[in-house]
Amino acid sequence: TPTIDGNWVFTVGESGRLLAIEATAEGPQVRWSHDLIPEFCAKLPEWGVAGSPLVYRDMVIVQPGGTEAAVVAFDKFTGQVKWQTGSHPPSYSSPVVATVAGQDCIVAFMGDALLAIRPHDGTITDRYKWSTLHNANIATPLVVSDDDTNTYVFISAAYSSGSALLRAERSGD
């Protein structure tokens, strides 16, 4: 599913090609692209790449799931890598933003774990192991906050994996 942000469209095809397309008066223009699978030493998932890009401020965040980078943030306008983090296998899920105790974090459901990532530098601040057959974590995590102090993340998967409701807390920085 493409992600639309103003006059920009970001999309990842089933083979892992990330495109940044800008709508202009002359028509759509591809401004930059990346071939995620070879660039980040990722393995093409059994049923192809399916996650949608996340636009967060001036970044586009995707989950190649490679040994060089489970999650990558690109500059929205230039396509330059801002940060890359982790070495988890790919999944079919899309990253989302959560606010925990007033602090934003990127939540990425990889093939073997749920990751909490600091958006400004890509530091993985926490992980919750969640393995499934075929690394088939497909559903995008649901983030729900009941007020400024309680944030919950719901994950679920098939293949007899079930679901989990996690309460996110800020600890330290």
Side-chain angles (χ1 to χ4, degrees):
T1 306
T3 301
I4 299 171
D5 184 48
N7 60 336
W8 287 84
V9 176
F10 303 94
T11 187
V12 180
E14 72 176 302
S15 65
R17 186 166 172 88
L18 169 63
L19 296 175
I21 304 165
E22 184 180 17
T24 69
E26 296 80 35
Q29 304 289 320
V30 175
R31 296 300 184 193
W32 55 266
S33 67
H34 285 275
D35 196 357
L36 301 174
I37 303 303
E39 283 182 48
F40 299 101
C41 299
K43 180 182 174 195
L44 185 65
E46 187 170 344
W47 298 287
V49 176
S52 299
L54 169 67
V55 174
Y56 176 80
R57 298 187 180 170
D58 64 345
M59 294 181 282
V60 176
I61 301 168
V62 293
Q63 300 178 187
T67 57
E68 296 295 316
V71 183
V72 181
F74 297 95
D75 182 280
K76 176 178 151 179
F77 301 105
T78 67
Q80 291 185 335
V81 174
K82 294 191 100 161
W83 53 256
Q84 58 191 67
T85 193
S87 60
H88 296 268
S91 70
Y92 302 91
S93 179
S94 302
V96 295
V97 177
T99 302
V100 179
Q103 188 173 15
D104 285 351
C105 98
I106 304 300
V107 177
F109 199 17
M110 303 308 301
D112 64 356
L114 179 73
L115 306 177
I117 303 166
R118 203 178 281 142
H120 66 278
D121 65 5
T123 300
I124 296 173
T125 59
D126 206 354
R127 56 178 52 81
Y128 182 78
K129 291 184 181 185
W130 191 269
S131 294
T132 57
L133 190 61
H134 309 290
N135 293 328
N137 289 326
I138 298 167
T140 296
L142 296 175
V143 177
V144 178
S145 295
D146 62 4
D147 58 33
D148 288 339
T149 58
N150 292 306
T151 301
Y152 301 92
V153 180
F154 178 76
I155 55 174
S156 64
Y159 299 106
S160 302
S161 297
S163 60
L165 179 63
L166 310 169
R167 187 163 74 91
E169 296 177 337
R170 183 172 177 178
S171 176
D173 69 350

